[in-house]
Amino acid sequence: MQTYDVVIVGAGHGGAQVAIALRQRNFEGSILMIGAEPDLPYERPPLSKEYLAGEKPFDRILLRSPAFWKERQVNMLLGQTVTAVDPDDHAVATEHGEHIAYGSLIWAAGGHARRLGCDGHDLSGVHTVRTRADVDRMRTELDGVAQAVVIGGGYIGLEAAAILAKSGKAVVLLEALDRVLARVAGAPLSRFYEAAHRDHGVDIRLGTKVDCVLGDRNKVSGVRLADGEVVPAQMVIVGIGIVPAVGPLLSAGAIGDNGVRVDGLCRTSLPDVFAIGDCALHSNRFADGADIRVESVQNANDQASVVARVLTGSEVPYDAVPWFWSNQYDLKLQTVGLSTGHDAVVMRGDLALRSFSVIYLKHGRVIALDCVNAVKDYVQGRKLVEAGASVEPIRLADATIPLKDA
Ligand code: FAD
């Protein structure tokens, strides 16, 4: 059985960053990264943006060149899924029967796109957007698509809807709740994005439940709604969240449920096993210490750095402010902090000019901002969130006062 000092499961954002950070910190041990996808680590955000639009080829979304990994002696085992972890033997097993021993194991396996549970969910033409392969499949079909249905009004669904609408498809977006982005943003931002999409011809249906996906000779032909209406479509894109990829770890006895539980140093309950990124359930200061998973590049990268530091002798707990971005049409959204639990909202800037910020407060303190085409607010507001600053709403709302002076 081969042995590596560090085995990383998952060759995505977190997995790549932990290997990069280890070498930056002069870690000299052997590293193996095992990835279920056949590709070297690549950026996932463009999958619902420039890559889906065909504006960026795959080699431009690679996180690092093939030479980079070779030079730094990061070994890759790609196209292989880890199916079991043996914490006593400090070893993992892959689906192809390989057994590999580790000194430390870093679980950076992200999540699988959640699928619909209704009839027709597996028809040809029904897609999720999680991997390069998902988007490559979609792109080969796009020429034959006039009408598309997007299920789910979160960031990924909205971004995909924007790309399809821009390329001339008739898009219907179905959201079960009464507004888009309901889980991540306040109502003013939701309403703004709903209007922006409608201006681009997207038919947004709120409070709408799906009954089933309809097909003709195994190919999707439409979506039947709970009220019986049939929306015709040659493509259905499902953006309803992820299921964290933690099965083998939980089977091995790691504590967790909706993700694997980690402490401030990203340690799981298993010895020498860490978890980072989308699959890591952690207590987050910016959520008042609640146990959450954060699905963002920032979180994956910052948790990767925490683990790289631990493995090179420096224990600095995870405490990074969450941030995220989303591009739709000409709208560049940057968010910082977590708005969950806010008790007041302040609008700053001009919605009509499409440059504004939504500022969220809790007990008088700034906890989050959603900044649309407002980079300065984002940069300066971030400091307010980090500091948990108390600022008078009237000063926050006054766009003539820079946030750094508020
Ligand atoms: P991933 O990057 O998903 O990597 C996990 C890897 O592990 C995958 O390659 C997976 O195949 C592999 N794997 C899973 N199970 C196993 C196993 N058992 N054995 C081996 N390998 C395994 N975030 C932002 O901040 N901004 C954005 O604009 C943004 N846009 C996004 C758009 C899309 C379409 C998607 C899908 C995500 C987006 N995100 C965005 C989220 C961001 O990409 C994720 O938060 C980030 O990729 C998480 O990194 P990770 O390392 O935890 O997981």
Side-chain angles (χ1 to χ4, degrees):
M1 177 157 60
Q2 272 204 300
T3 301
Y4 292 85
D5 296 308
V6 169
V7 170
I8 302 167
V9 177
H13 277 276
Q17 184 56 33
V18 83
I20 294 168
L22 278 170
R23 291 301 188 221
Q24 275 170 347
R25 296 181 63 83
N26 301 319
F27 178 80
E28 288 180 352
S30 54
I31 302 178
L32 173 70
M33 203 185 299
I34 309 176
E37 294 180 68
D39 300 300
L40 286 170
Y42 60 89
E43 293 174 58
R44 225 164 274 286
L47 293 182
S48 51
K49 307 178 181 74
E50 307 92 320
Y51 188 69
L52 174 59
E55 289 163 4
K56 262 193 187 173
F58 184 68
D59 59 359
R60 283 193 49 213
I61 67 169
L62 281 174
L63 281 167
R64 292 290 187 279
S65 68
F68 176 93
W69 302 110
K70 278 212 179 79
E71 280 159 16
R72 280 152 188 85
Q73 297 184 3
V74 176
N75 300 285
M76 297 278 177
L77 185 59
L78 300 175
Q80 288 227 31
T81 300
V82 169
T83 49
V85 177
D86 184 334
D88 298 328
D89 278 1
H90 272 52
V92 296
T94 72
E95 60 184 332
H96 299 308
E98 294 215 36
H99 291 262
I100 297 151
Y102 59 81
S104 300
L105 177 67
I106 302 162
W107 195 265
H112 306 294
R114 190 183 295 282
R115 295 180 184 277
L116 291 173
C118 62
D119 286 351
H121 68 93
D122 53 355
L123 287 167
S124 155
V126 179
H127 299 274
T128 53
V129 193
R130 183 73 197 178
T131 64
R132 173 203 187 176
D134 291 339
V135 178
D136 285 350
R137 268 192 300 273
M138 280 169 64
R139 286 179 50 193
T140 59
E141 291 175 18
L142 273 176
D143 281 349
V145 173
Q147 299 153 302
V149 167
V150 176
I151 300 178
Y155 284 121
I156 290 177
L158 289 173
E159 288 178 352
I163 299 291
L164 294 192
K166 270 189 353 196
S167 69
K169 316 290 179 200
V171 183
V172 177
L173 184 139
L174 310 175
E175 167 55 54
L177 300 176
D178 62 355
R179 59 186 177 93
V180 300
L181 301 175
R183 287 192 189 85
V184 288
L189 196 83
S190 302
R191 297 304 176 219
F192 176 82
Y193 273 92
E194 287 159 11
H197 277 271
R198 287 180 174 133
D199 287 349
H200 283 86
V202 177
D203 178 0
I204 296 206
R205 313 268 193 99
L206 303 171
T208 303
K209 298 221 165 57
V210 170
D211 175 38
C212 65
V213 182
L214 301 169
D216 182 17
R217 277 166 287 163
N218 201 38
K219 174 94 186 71
V220 66
S221 62
V223 175
R224 188 160 65 212
L225 309 181
D227 65 5
E229 180 186 347
V230 172
V231 183
Q234 300 79 49
M235 175 177 282
V236 171
I237 299 175
V238 181
I240 54 171
I242 64 165
V243 179
V246 291
L249 264 195
L250 298 191
S251 301
I255 294 173
D257 173 5
N258 173 32
V260 62
R261 184 83 180 80
V262 296
D263 67 9
L265 297 175
C266 298
R267 294 178 298 206
T268 70
S269 57
L270 300 176
D272 302 312
V273 181
F274 299 80
I276 59 174
D278 284 9
C279 66
L281 187 63
H282 63 278
S283 161
N284 193 301
R285 172 162 75 93
F286 296 92
D288 276 345
D291 285 347
I292 57 170
R293 291 187 301 99
V294 177
E295 294 172 18
S296 73
V297 170
Q298 166 276 318
N299 176 68
N301 285 344
D302 286 334
Q303 290 189 328
S305 301
V306 168
V307 174
R309 280 197 293 263
V310 172
L311 294 180
T312 50
S314 161
E315 300 195 346
V316 183
Y318 181 65
D319 189 39
V321 62
W323 57 267
F324 187 84
W325 74 95
S326 174
N327 300 335
Q328 296 165 49
Y329 311 111
D330 59 339
L331 304 170
K332 296 213 177 311
L333 169 71
Q334 292 167 293
T335 84
V336 59
L338 298 171
S339 60
T340 329
H342 65 271
D343 53 26
V345 169
V346 174
M347 298 300 297
R348 173 186 169 89
D350 194 338
L351 268 78
L353 292 177
R354 302 163 80 75
S355 169
F356 65 95
S357 299
V358 186
I359 305 178
Y360 302 89
L361 297 116
K362 189 172 178 183
H363 308 317
R365 293 184 185 281
V366 178
I367 58 165
L369 289 92
D370 289 329
C371 307
V372 177
N373 297 335
V375 181
K376 257 194 199 149
D377 280 1
Y378 168 74
V379 173
Q380 298 179 7
R382 185 189 168 111
K383 300 211 161 60
L384 299 179
V385 175
E386 276 167 347
S390 290
V391 187
E392 278 202 53
I394 197 159
R395 289 179 68 78
L396 291 172
D398 185 344
T400 63
I401 306 175
L403 283 178
K404 68 176 164 47
D405 300 333

